[in-house]
Amino acid sequence: MTESYVIIGDGIAGSSAAETLREEAPESDITVVTDEGEALYNRILIKEFAKGKLPEAPVSIHEEDWYAERDIDLALNTHVTDVDPDAHEVHTHDSGTIEYDKLLIASGGTPTKLPVKNADGEGIHHFWTFQDARAINEHASEADTGVVIGAGLLGIDLAAICGAQDVDAHYLMRGECWWRYALSPEGAEIIHDGMRDVGVTPVFGSGADEFVLDEDGHVEATIDTNGERYESDFVGIAIGLDFNVEYMQDTDLELDDGVLVDEYMQTNLDDIYAAGDLTRFYDTILGEHAQNGSWGSAKEQGQVAATNMAADDEAEAFRWVSSYSITHFDFPFLSFGHPTLGDDAVEKKYSDTEWRRITFKDGKVIGGVLIGDLAPQTTFKKLMREERDVSGQKELLLEETVDIDKLDAPAQEQ
């Protein structure tokens, strides 16, 4: 009997799952449902498009023909209203019903709205989809002043877009530095200098209290939490995601700041899996549930989920060391693993544009941040995958060239 698979979401997690399912179950029926109006595109490259550095064409990954060639049904502009796990049915906005034997939830998220006055004004942008990037590109290219809110990895993309589009922008951050959960002020100051070099001014101990709109409803200024006014005919906000699982609200799907899955990407509901940035997955390296929204992690999760959906029994566990790079400045930046977690950390600044921080849990490397010199990443990721205990040897990881042989030697011989 032919198996039927339904995937909600056509990001890299959903698309890679569809491709893997076609390979693992060549005779199956596969349907991909997405509320977006275009097929898979590269979420990494849309920031370069928004900066005005890249045309649209390279951003697209799959045309609709790609799905047809693989006998995958692609339903664009289709909103899922609810799922009936008992009946194994997906219901859509046009009253269409799609039956499934196995279901994958890969619908990602929607940017969290800032709960302040006039946050829905014209010229206030959130950055997640290709459509968002198009609007940001068009508006930023015409704007003179701007404000960015959200001191994380998406926020700095918005700041870089302002710099590239010659927008005189202020970057409002609640804490004392950018991405304060992963960087100390010393390391973050390298990033702050990079912002200033592209014309973006970081403002600390701040945040948006309200937006001022003109008579046409377009933003013209931002009032911060200290009462300061910043002229801003462009505003970019990146304060997190609200995960798109409202269609599961009448089910018993287990949620914990995301969809809870095991190492096989299986939810608590029979025949329902999840993949991508909306998952809170069991990290076999960390030994606990965690989240990660990187492109590589989402792709791997989609493949693992599909492999297990097509198998009689769970056959493959998700085991991945993620990384996220930033290329906006004259120096490279890379985070890996879980740099915001752990019970200990070591760090060192090597020059005005080179810094390193490694985080640990129970004496094992679980993540870190590299600025300037990215060469040690291979060694650190290897230590993570091998779950190597480096207790008493942590300072060796701050040597400019990390020697694995020194780590292999007993601590008393060093």
Side-chain angles (χ1 to χ4, degrees):
M1 187 173 179
T2 303
E3 288 278 296
S4 60
Y5 301 102
V6 174
I7 298 167
I8 304 175
D10 188 42
I12 188 59
S15 181
S16 64
E19 186 171 14
T20 302
L21 281 169
R22 179 50 70 223
E23 294 169 355
E24 298 288 333
E27 302 302 320
S28 64
D29 294 327
I30 303 172
T31 301
V32 177
V33 181
T34 175
D35 56 9
E36 291 198 59
E38 54 199 317
L40 178 68
Y41 51 84
N42 192 320
R43 290 190 187 274
I44 298 174
L45 292 182
I46 60 173
K47 57 191 174 187
E48 297 302 315
F49 170 80
K51 287 163 67 176
K53 303 295 185 182
L54 197 68
E56 280 205 23
V59 179
S60 296
I61 296 178
H62 291 160
E63 300 296 335
E64 292 182 50
D65 288 348
W66 183 90
Y67 300 84
E69 290 166 1
R70 289 160 179 77
D71 195 22
I72 297 170
D73 291 329
L74 174 65
L76 298 174
N77 295 307
T78 302
H79 179 68
V80 174
T81 56
D82 64 275
V83 171
D84 185 336
D86 294 329
H88 281 54
E89 291 178 347
V90 173
H91 302 147
T92 63
H93 73 288
D94 59 1
S95 300
T97 297
I98 309 171
E99 297 181 350
Y100 67 85
D101 291 306
K102 301 282 180 66
L103 172 68
L104 177 66
I105 300 171
S107 44
T110 301
T112 302
K113 306 298 183 182
L114 194 62
V116 302
K117 184 179 178 181
N118 295 328
D120 58 350
E122 291 293 322
I124 299 175
H125 298 271
H126 298 83
F127 188 29
W128 192 244
T129 68
F130 202 174
Q131 281 296 87
D132 295 336
R134 292 184 180 102
I136 288 170
N137 184 349
E138 179 180 1
H139 185 197
S141 66
E142 300 171 348
D144 296 316
T145 59
V147 156
V148 174
I149 300 156
L153 297 171
L154 281 178
I156 203 168
D157 288 343
L158 286 163
I161 289 166
C162 288
Q165 297 279 21
D166 295 322
V167 178
D168 181 12
H170 288 83
Y171 192 167
L172 310 185
M173 309 180 210
R174 288 189 299 175
E176 62 181 345
C177 67
W178 177 74
W179 206 19
R180 66 189 189 275
Y181 300 114
L183 279 73
S184 68
E186 182 181 53
E189 188 58 22
I190 298 175
I191 304 297
H192 302 157
D193 286 341
M195 295 177 194
R196 296 182 184 107
D197 288 343
V198 298
V200 176
T201 303
V203 181
F204 309 111
S206 181
D209 189 56
E210 69 172 284
F211 298 105
V212 179
L213 308 183
D214 64 19
E215 58 184 15
D216 296 321
H218 195 287
V219 65
E220 64 178 22
T222 302
I223 308 300
D224 85 345
T225 50
N226 304 308
E228 296 291 328
R229 176 186 172 104
Y230 296 93
E231 299 304 315
S232 48
D233 52 0
F234 173 92
V235 171
I237 300 173
I239 58 171
L241 290 178
D242 294 325
F243 298 118
N244 296 332
V245 291
E246 65 281 350
Y247 52 84
M248 299 297 294
Q249 64 183 351
D250 293 329
T251 74
D252 294 325
L253 180 68
E254 189 171 1
L255 303 173
D256 180 13
D257 194 24
V259 179
L260 205 67
V261 296
D262 61 18
E263 62 267 42
Y264 304 107
M265 313 315 297
Q266 167 80 56
T267 72
N268 65 304
L269 300 178
D270 290 342
D271 301 323
I272 299 182
Y273 295 71
D277 45 28
L278 56 66
T279 62
R280 189 164 180 81
F281 60 92
Y282 184 78
D283 189 317
T284 59
I285 297 174
L286 192 62
E288 61 183 82
H289 280 83
Q291 284 181 301
N292 184 280
S294 73
W295 181 269
S297 177
K299 182 177 181 179
E300 181 72 9
Q301 285 189 23
Q303 293 171 341
V304 169
T307 298
N308 292 324
M309 290 166 73
D312 292 333
D313 297 304
E314 283 84 358
E316 182 178 343
F318 174 71
R319 187 176 175 84
W320 184 259
V321 178
S322 65
S323 60
Y324 190 96
S325 61
I326 293 174
T327 57
H328 298 312
F329 309 116
D330 291 336
F331 51 84
F333 170 102
L334 181 136
S335 67
F336 66 93
H338 301 285
T340 64
L341 304 180
D343 53 32
D344 193 15
V346 295
E347 65 176 74
K348 183 176 180 179
K349 187 175 183 180
Y350 303 86
S351 72
D352 290 342
T353 57
E354 188 177 340
W355 180 83
R356 184 185 305 172
R357 183 173 187 266
I358 312 300
T359 57
F360 307 90
K361 178 187 176 185
D362 300 328
K364 301 173 184 178
V365 176
I366 63 165
V369 173
L370 306 175
I371 301 176
D373 179 14
L374 308 188
Q377 66 170 300
T378 301
T379 297
F380 296 143
K381 288 179 180 180
K382 177 181 173 66
L383 292 174
M384 275 193 66
R385 284 190 293 267
E386 295 180 354
E387 300 184 56
R388 189 91 62 90
D389 191 330
V390 294
S391 300
Q393 301 175 295
K394 297 173 183 176
E395 293 298 323
L396 289 175
L397 302 183
L398 296 180
E399 294 184 357
E400 289 203 50
T401 301
V402 181
D403 189 340
I404 282 284
D405 291 336
K406 285 186 178 180
L407 290 169
D408 286 338
Q412 63 266 23
E413 293 180 8
Q414 298 170 26

